[in-house]
Amino acid sequence: KKYSISNRFLASLSFNILKSGVSFLTVILLARWLGPQDYGTMVFLLASFVAFQQLLDMASTSAFFTFLSKRHRSKKFITFYWRWIGIQFSVSFLFISILLPDSIIEIVWQGEPRGLILLAFVATFMQQTVWSIISQMAEAKRESIKIQRANAFFAIVYFSIILGLSLFDKLFLPFIFIVLIIEWALASILASKIYSNHEHESQCDFESQSPDTASSVFKEFWVYCWPFIPFVFLSFIQHISSVWMLQEWGGSKQQAYYGIGLQFATVALLITSSILRIFWKEIAEAQHLGDIKKVEILYFKASRGLFFVGAIFAGAISPWSSEIISLFLGKEYLGGIIPLMLMLIYPAHQCLGQLGSAILLATENTKAQVIIGIIFSTIGTLVVFIMLSPFFGLELAAIGLSIKMISVQFAQVNVKNFVISRIFGWKFDWAPQIIGLGLCLSIGWICKYLFINIIESNVIIMFLSSSFLYISLISIIIFYYPLITGFRISEIKSEFWNIIDLLKLLRN
């Protein structure tokens, strides 16, 4: 029973809520203690290497998870892939530490010390690549509960260490990166046991296939990944140029303002992150077995439900951006009010984008994913340049990057969903986007206006009272029009009782 989609999702959500809450608190404290200048530098270094990892990866992690999700794979298959990861790390570390000229370091990383840059690279690699692969291996075995429990545990460990560094006045960027490296290396070693524990399972599935060899595995990955080469390169250019232009023309403070907005957006995406790999696994397996009806049902429910959750979050929090900044971060971050307000809207469409990418990658419709990605990576880079550069006179810094994220994301998501509807013969489902997001934002602003201008009180009391009214109105809408969430009322009730059963399962 614990391997059902419902229970795996609810368990992932529970642990993700815990993890996201702790991570959010960690980020807020880091932002306050480091200040906009150092925190902005940290955001810039980590973001630049996230983009660099995408270039190195060439969609191989997507291929790896898709292949693992379809059927059980041999130890040789796993070993070959980890060798590829080792090559990525070794070549990159050598390139950054020795081969890359100081002049390039000065231009790309704004003169930051090479040692600090290397620490940021290793920290990003351990968290974004190694831990991500280990998590995929666990999800491929439907061990969502175990891996999410581990994820939450190590988030708590990280928070505790950051708190300790602060108490001993040792909260410096090099120490923070070293903590990230050690933490996620240890987490990956321990979590790898989850997959190893399944090695006693029946081997008949992969033994019936031709044995894995270096050439066969390379060919399998090459067929999946080669269309991504131009897309990955353009995507890298877009991401690295975005953070670089913001750092060059806005500075570390603007980088911090945008980073805070992005962190709040990440909290809103916790439900999406809870279900994404579960969704990917089930879609890949269903498509492999020819169960297209299951693919359609999963996509309809996930896309409508996750988008409406994102819209609810945007309507509840976005109107209160100025109060959130003042309360959590202080006067130093007041310049980030508008970026935060905009970035809180971003997750609603981002969840649709992630689901769309997952279904295309899981069903190996890579050509569509690549073409759409190339088009919008190019458009995104141009829009960022226009928004941020002094040559066009806009120089909107963090506000401009936030506007780009929302506008380009909206266009890309709808193009991608239209293509998916044509591939699988579904109806293009666009109306809930306009209705759901518009409704939630309107209700959110009305509720804030009522309590700010009519019932004056403490900010926290007004926020909680406004939120209660907001949730009550949204609940009424869901009761009379439940399909806006992708579920019927009977299904919502059923999921409630599943939560009760899951709590009993977790307790045992």
Side-chain angles (χ1 to χ4, degrees):
K1 189 174 183 180
K2 69 178 181 177
Y3 294 119
S4 70
I5 296 176
S6 176
N7 280 345
R8 282 155 56 211
F9 165 63
L10 291 172
S12 294
L13 178 60
S14 301
F15 286 118
N16 263 324
I17 289 173
L18 174 60
K19 180 236 175 184
S20 296
V22 174
S23 298
F24 176 75
L25 181 59
T26 305
V27 168
I28 293 298
L29 294 178
L30 277 173
R32 288 186 71 103
W33 292 338
L34 291 175
Q37 191 71 31
D38 285 346
Y39 181 71
T41 300
M42 178 182 170
V43 170
F44 169 61
L45 290 174
L46 293 178
S48 67
F49 282 113
V50 168
F52 185 62
Q53 289 304 119
Q54 292 176 346
L55 182 63
L56 287 175
D57 182 63
M58 290 293 175
S60 63
T61 55
S62 297
F64 180 69
F65 186 49
T66 299
F67 298 153
L68 279 185
S69 297
K70 284 185 172 183
R71 60 187 177 90
H72 193 84
R73 301 305 297 257
S74 66
K75 286 184 179 180
K76 282 186 176 181
F77 178 85
I78 306 295
T79 302
F80 289 141
Y81 186 70
W82 277 111
R83 288 175 181 172
W84 161 242
I85 297 302
I87 292 171
Q88 284 186 37
F89 177 81
S90 302
V91 171
S92 302
F93 190 88
L94 178 65
F95 180 72
I96 297 169
S97 61
I98 299 175
L99 301 179
L100 199 63
D102 290 337
S103 57
I104 301 298
I105 294 283
E106 180 72 27
I107 294 171
V108 176
W109 286 288
Q110 306 286 303
E112 295 295 335
R114 192 184 293 261
L116 187 65
I117 293 169
L118 278 170
L119 287 174
F121 161 69
V122 179
T124 307
F125 193 91
M126 292 307 304
Q127 185 174 13
Q128 299 295 327
T129 299
V130 176
W131 174 254
S132 177
I133 294 168
I134 292 295
S135 300
Q136 288 178 342
M137 292 171 66
E139 290 287 0
K141 291 299 180 183
R142 295 189 170 95
E143 290 290 0
S144 308
I145 296 176
K146 289 181 180 179
I147 196 64
Q148 295 299 340
R149 182 188 294 141
N151 206 5
F153 172 76
F154 281 99
I156 295 172
V157 170
Y158 179 57
F159 169 76
S160 302
I161 295 173
I162 293 298
L163 191 60
L165 288 175
S166 175
L167 291 175
F168 288 99
D169 200 24
K170 299 293 183 182
L171 197 62
F172 307 117
L173 290 186
F175 289 165
I176 294 172
F177 291 148
I178 290 170
V179 168
L180 285 171
I181 293 168
I182 296 173
E183 177 190 13
W184 292 111
L186 181 61
S188 299
I189 292 170
L190 295 177
S192 64
K193 304 298 183 183
I194 297 175
Y195 188 85
S196 300
N197 290 339
H198 283 264
E199 291 303 319
H200 68 278
E201 292 179 345
S202 173
Q203 306 294 303
C204 61
D205 189 25
F206 68 81
E207 285 180 352
S208 65
Q209 310 291 329
S210 57
D212 288 321
T213 63
S215 59
S216 67
V217 171
F218 175 80
K219 183 179 180 181
E220 191 174 9
F221 273 90
W222 176 254
V223 170
Y224 187 101
C225 295
W226 78 263
F228 284 91
I229 294 175
F231 163 56
V232 168
F233 180 74
L234 287 173
S235 180
F236 166 74
I237 295 296
Q238 179 196 356
H239 290 144
I240 195 68
S241 64
S242 296
V243 295
W244 184 87
M245 284 188 278
L246 184 57
Q247 187 77 9
E248 176 70 14
W249 295 320
S252 293
K253 285 189 176 181
Q254 290 294 325
Q255 196 79 245
Y257 298 157
Y258 175 73
I260 288 296
L262 191 60
Q263 185 61 42
F264 273 85
T266 302
V267 172
L269 286 168
L270 69 91
I271 295 182
T272 303
S273 61
S274 300
I275 200 172
L276 190 62
R277 284 177 179 163
I278 298 171
F279 175 81
W280 192 323
K281 159 67 180 177
E282 299 302 330
I283 291 292
E285 187 175 83
Q287 193 267 345
H288 181 63
L289 298 173
D291 192 354
I292 303 302
K293 186 64 177 177
K294 181 179 179 180
V295 174
E296 181 181 3
I297 292 172
L298 286 174
Y299 184 67
F300 174 79
K301 290 182 179 296
S303 59
R304 280 206 173 190
L306 291 177
F307 179 82
F308 195 64
V309 168
I312 291 173
F313 183 87
I317 307 297
S318 184
W320 297 86
S321 296
S322 60
E323 289 80 8
I324 289 171
I325 291 285
S326 299
L327 183 63
F328 286 104
L329 296 165
K331 295 180 179 179
E332 287 185 303
Y333 286 88
L334 288 177
I337 291 174
I338 296 178
L340 175 60
M341 188 181 298
L342 293 171
M343 288 304 295
L344 287 169
I345 301 173
Y346 170 72
H349 281 91
Q350 175 66 359
C351 69
L352 291 183
Q354 291 183 359
L355 286 175
S357 295
I359 195 170
L360 290 175
L361 294 173
T363 58
E364 300 188 40
N365 284 289
T366 55
K367 185 177 179 180
Q369 173 75 2
V370 166
I371 293 173
I372 295 169
I374 288 175
I375 292 171
F376 284 97
S377 291
T378 305
I379 293 172
T381 304
L382 293 173
V383 172
V384 170
F385 184 74
I386 293 170
M387 290 286 184
L388 271 61
S389 75
F391 306 106
F392 289 88
L394 296 180
E395 297 183 87
L396 293 175
I399 296 175
L401 189 52
S402 301
I403 292 172
K404 172 263 172 185
M405 293 293 286
I406 294 174
S407 58
V408 175
Q409 180 72 33
F410 174 80
Q412 184 174 1
V413 160
N414 281 283
V415 169
K416 187 179 292 184
N417 284 348
F418 178 78
V419 170
I420 290 171
S421 69
R422 289 296 175 266
I423 291 174
F424 293 97
W426 303 333
K427 182 182 178 182
F428 177 39
D429 195 28
W430 61 270
Q433 295 179 41
I434 307 299
I435 297 171
L437 186 57
L439 201 62
C440 290
L441 286 173
S442 299
I443 294 174
W445 278 103
I446 290 171
C447 290
K448 180 184 178 180
Y449 176 82
L450 288 174
F451 284 90
I452 287 289
N453 294 286
I454 299 177
I455 310 172
E456 296 185 4
S457 182
N458 178 271
V459 171
I460 296 177
I461 294 175
M462 287 192 294
F463 172 73
L464 293 175
S465 302
S466 172
S467 298
F468 178 78
L469 176 61
Y470 174 78
I471 294 300
S472 300
L473 294 174
I474 294 297
S475 299
I476 293 172
I477 292 171
I478 293 174
F479 182 80
Y480 284 102
Y481 187 50
L483 282 181
I484 197 171
T485 67
F487 294 85
R488 296 181 176 86
I489 287 294
S490 59
E491 292 174 317
I492 295 174
K493 290 180 179 178
S494 176
E495 290 304 315
F496 172 78
W497 290 111
N498 279 339
I499 294 174
I500 302 300
D501 291 341
L502 177 66
L503 293 174
K504 295 177 181 178
L505 183 67
L506 292 175
R507 185 185 62 188
N508 296 329

